[in-house]
Amino acid sequence: MDRLNKLAVLAGLTALVSVGCGGTGEPAPPLVEEDPGLTMSFSTGEYEIPTGDVFMCFYTDTFAAEELAVVRALGAQSLGGHHITVYYTESPQEPQHHLCDDEEMLSWNQVAGAAIDPDEFVLDVPEGLGMRVPEGAQMVIQAHYINTTGEPMMVKDDVTLTLARPEDLIGYVNDFVVLDTGFSVAPHSDGESVTTCTVQEDLEVVRLLGHAHEWGSYFKLEEIDEQGEVVEVLYDEVWSPEYSSAPPLNSYTMEEPLVLKSGMRLRQTCRWENNEDY
């Protein structure tokens, strides 16, 4: 492969890919248009979640017997589901599940976010590109739920990955994340956070999107010069609650990608409107 520096960019407020898997309770439909020998499916079985904002992490018993190339993902969740994300880790654990720990996820590598609509795959990259899973890696599933019932509830998640043969790809994509976690928004108030970062190597971008949750009101990503003056606005959106799962997406081709050069400075501006009591 001669274009392994291809990167799909996620510009977001959290380390999670901004994908939605809103609860249907139905199992993932089969990917009938694909060779069944090139799919990989997971099911969590039923499990209990507590009330509130819940991230559950599943170390599966699936290890990549050889290098895998993932091209899309499709999934389903129970009522209250917010998203399913698939990762791999090269620091394996015994198959089990538990409430996620931020520290453990530092050793994970994101593979895909799962969509519930087969016509709206989240991992939608140009033909010929895919996400790499190295031989021997353990597959890990993260399920996010928002349980507003006031009681523990039983849920279930399903996800199917569609694979390609690595030798058939032009190259791999990966995520470049502009991350801001150093903010807080007081009850019944507005907030804004502005952060900057410097690109460390040349990148070619095929997808660009923002991520904020339901209190988000505005998101912008700019290229700036050394004096902080705007060179180019890369992404500029008045935020809506539904964008937490399906944000506006800027798409580029392999022939004409968005090029981020080493040393380029990026500035991210995020605003929120908190109308809750917490």
Side-chain angles (χ1 to χ4, degrees):
M1 300 177 192
D2 60 357
R3 298 190 70 179
L4 298 186
N5 65 329
K6 274 286 177 187
L7 284 132
V9 168
L10 168 68
L13 301 184
T14 75
L16 301 174
V17 69
S18 53
V19 298
C21 258
T24 66
E26 298 297 325
L31 301 175
V32 295
E33 74 280 13
E34 300 292 342
D35 180 346
L38 291 177
T39 62
M40 176 181 288
S41 296
F42 305 91
S43 181
T44 63
E46 283 197 329
Y47 62 97
E48 184 178 89
I49 60 169
T51 60
D53 201 21
V54 180
F55 290 87
M56 193 69 71
C57 288
F58 292 81
Y59 287 84
T60 76
D61 60 1
T62 300
F63 291 76
E66 58 186 355
E67 181 178 304
L68 304 177
V70 180
V71 295
R72 60 180 63 92
L74 186 65
Q77 293 187 279
S78 299
L79 183 67
H82 186 268
H83 73 253
I84 311 171
T85 312
V86 182
Y87 299 83
Y88 74 81
T89 180
E90 296 181 277
S91 301
Q93 292 195 21
E94 289 296 319
Q96 42 89 10
H97 71 274
H98 56 257
L99 291 172
C100 294
D101 182 304
D102 289 345
E103 185 174 346
E104 72 180 317
M105 292 186 287
L106 294 176
S107 66
W108 295 4
N109 296 270
Q110 186 174 291
V111 177
I116 60 171
D117 186 340
D119 294 323
E120 296 180 2
F121 290 117
V122 173
L123 182 59
D124 174 23
V125 295
E127 193 73 24
L129 298 178
M131 298 286 285
R132 176 179 178 269
V133 178
E135 180 180 352
Q138 183 180 21
M139 306 303 295
V140 185
I141 309 296
Q142 183 196 71
H144 181 197
Y145 278 86
I146 301 175
N147 180 3
T148 60
T149 66
E151 301 287 343
M153 61 185 291
M154 299 300 294
V155 296
K156 178 177 178 288
D157 307 284
D158 296 276
V159 61
T160 295
L161 301 179
T162 301
L163 310 177
R165 295 179 178 84
E167 61 270 21
D168 293 338
L169 296 182
I170 298 170
Y172 286 121
V173 295
N174 209 332
D175 294 319
F176 174 70
V177 182
V178 180
L179 179 68
D180 180 4
T181 59
F183 61 88
S184 62
V185 183
H188 296 284
S189 66
D190 299 341
E192 179 179 272
S193 181
V194 180
T195 54
T196 61
C197 72
T198 301
V199 178
Q200 299 299 310
E201 59 181 303
D202 291 353
L203 305 175
E204 293 178 287
V205 178
V206 291
R207 297 289 185 267
L208 176 65
L209 60 146
H211 182 59
H213 286 178
E214 58 271 16
W215 292 343
S217 62
Y218 182 68
F219 186 99
K220 181 166 64 175
L221 185 70
E222 306 164 291
E223 178 190 352
I224 59 174
D225 62 19
E226 291 296 327
Q227 289 71 45
E229 298 297 323
V230 177
V231 176
E232 182 180 1
V233 177
L234 303 175
Y235 192 89
D236 190 357
E237 296 290 342
V238 175
W239 215 248
S240 296
E242 65 270 20
Y243 290 172
S244 64
S245 295
L249 180 68
N250 292 352
S251 297
Y252 307 89
T253 66
M254 289 190 290
E255 293 74 26
E256 296 185 10
L258 172 64
V259 177
L260 304 182
K261 303 294 289 186
S262 178
M264 179 183 292
R265 299 183 68 205
L266 300 177
R267 180 168 64 195
Q268 179 177 253
T269 301
C270 307
R271 296 176 190 152
W272 302 269
E273 295 177 358
N274 181 1
N275 55 11
E276 301 289 346
D277 294 328
Y278 54 89

